[in-house]
Amino acid sequence: RVVNFTPEIAKWSPADFVERMITPLQPEHVLVGQNFRFGRHAVGTPQTLSEIGRDRFEVHAMDLVAMSGVTVSSTRVREVVAAGDVAEAAELLGRPFEVGGVVVMGDQRGRELGFPTANLVLPAGRAVPADGVYAGWLEPSSGPDAGRRLPAAISVGTNPTFDGLERRVETYVIDRDDLELYGVDVTVTFAEHLRGQVKFDGVEPLISQMTDDVDAARKILA
């Protein structure tokens, strides 16, 4: 359950927060970090949570993990993802960073250029890597390739060469032009950042760079 933090919620006491947010879930165990704080003025601690939930659920305060002297946290992960450092994000998460969604109809320019892509338009607020090109994988949830991780070159951004406005994740499955993915739920996994987003002066230099990007992705993922 995702809860948007509002001024009203900010006024709740720790007891109010537990009764309104945690109790309806009927948990047996609640896991929080050692630095977890909740309730008005952040006065609630893991100990507070344990006292309020006594005889209803057990609270486990997890030790914080640090890497290279920096505490691993969701905030840190979002920061490195926003910077396009998907390799560090993978180290922090213990797995590669990924996004998912249903493939939508795009402008179909990729197909015309020889690089058909599966396009995702992600909701505002979703963590997405910085605009640029990445090596990674696409995994369809249905169809002939369901459950397979297919090597891919991934573009994140607005497609500035064509003056695009909508930010998308566009994924070209390497050496595949036979995929029919419209309406299919897919997972896109990021392995390595290749370059930043560039506005090219025409189609020919764009195709040349896309060819180089695909070759680089192919080598990285081999």
Side-chain angles (χ1 to χ4, degrees):
R1 180 183 183 187
V2 177
V3 178
N4 292 322
F5 189 71
T6 65
E8 178 188 357
I9 292 177
K11 297 176 182 177
W12 292 352
S13 68
D16 287 336
F17 183 88
V18 171
E19 293 307 317
R20 299 189 190 196
M21 290 295 175
I22 298 180
T23 299
L25 301 176
Q26 298 182 322
E28 293 183 7
H29 300 271
V30 177
L31 277 66
V32 298
Q34 289 282 5
N35 62 345
F36 177 67
R37 297 294 182 269
F38 68 106
R40 188 175 185 181
H41 301 310
V43 296
T45 66
Q47 179 63 31
T48 308
L49 184 60
S50 181
E51 292 171 355
I52 296 173
R54 183 178 291 115
D55 299 326
R56 289 184 290 168
F57 54 80
E58 186 175 348
V59 176
H60 306 270
M62 311 299 291
D63 291 334
L64 302 182
V65 176
M67 298 180 66
S68 301
V70 178
T71 300
V72 178
S73 66
S74 59
T75 298
R76 178 58 181 162
V77 172
R78 287 192 295 270
E79 288 174 348
V80 298
V81 167
D85 193 347
V86 293
E88 183 174 349
E91 291 184 15
L92 297 173
L93 290 168
R95 60 168 177 78
F97 178 78
E98 60 187 33
V99 299
V102 176
V103 176
V104 299
M105 181 79 72
D107 300 318
Q108 297 190 307
R109 290 196 184 95
R111 187 173 298 277
E112 296 172 0
L113 299 175
F115 301 93
T117 59
N119 302 310
L120 300 180
V121 178
L122 301 178
R126 178 78 65 85
V128 181
D131 290 359
V133 178
Y134 301 80
W137 297 272
L138 180 144
E139 181 179 328
S141 63
S142 61
D145 293 293
R148 292 182 58 197
R149 289 208 316 171
L150 308 175
I154 307 160
S155 173
V156 178
T158 59
N159 207 337
T161 300
F162 299 101
D163 298 320
L165 298 175
E166 188 174 49
R167 194 161 186 251
R168 303 173 182 169
V169 176
E170 302 181 71
T171 305
Y172 167 65
V173 176
I174 297 175
D175 301 326
R176 295 287 298 272
D177 60 6
D178 60 324
L179 298 173
E180 295 294 339
L181 296 173
Y182 293 129
V184 175
D185 198 346
V186 301
T187 299
V188 177
T189 303
F190 295 82
E192 188 169 320
H193 180 259
L194 299 180
R195 64 173 176 85
Q197 192 172 71
V198 177
K199 181 173 183 176
F200 294 92
D201 293 331
V203 171
E204 291 305 320
L206 171 61
I207 292 176
S208 177
Q209 182 61 61
M210 291 171 70
T211 301
D212 291 343
D213 294 337
V214 170
D215 287 342
R218 183 186 289 109
K219 291 176 183 178
I220 289 170
L221 302 171

